[in-house]
Amino acid sequence: VKSIIATECGMSVKSVNNKTHFMDKSNISYFECVDALYTLEHRLHVKLPESSYYKYTTVGGVVKDIVRQLKVRSK
């Protein structure tokens, strides 16, 4: 997840962690955020509806949601 976000947002993987903020406290623009979430959705086969993007304020929040979805799917 972190490597996809780093790639889509033009950042180094080392600079992305669970506390990395989207849009407000970092250099990640809204459009980079949308591109990263769209890429995650398609590569990991999870649902990250565009109407919910506002709730993802940190990378950790995205990771948590993706892990939750993968756990539900594996049951």
Side-chain angles (χ1 to χ4, degrees):
V1 171
K2 294 172 189 172
S3 114
I4 291 171
I5 290 172
T7 300
E8 291 296 317
C9 297
M11 303 169 70
S12 74
V13 175
K14 291 180 182 180
S15 69
V16 177
N17 60 53
N18 283 342
K19 294 181 181 180
T20 301
H21 283 265
F22 287 117
M23 296 175 277
D24 60 345
K25 295 181 181 179
S26 69
N27 292 327
I28 302 174
S29 74
Y30 174 77
F31 297 109
E32 290 170 326
C33 177
V34 169
D35 284 344
L37 294 173
Y38 180 79
T39 300
L40 287 167
E41 185 175 41
H42 288 275
R43 286 197 187 166
L44 302 176
H45 307 287
V46 294
K47 300 288 184 199
L48 303 172
E50 209 169 325
S51 62
S52 298
Y53 284 3
Y54 71 91
K55 77 177 186 176
Y56 300 121
T57 57
T58 64
V59 171
V62 174
V63 170
K64 185 177 178 179
D65 194 27
I66 289 172
V67 167
R68 180 189 56 76
Q69 288 185 46
L70 294 175
K71 283 183 180 178
V72 168
R73 186 178 1 169
S74 68
K75 290 183 178 180

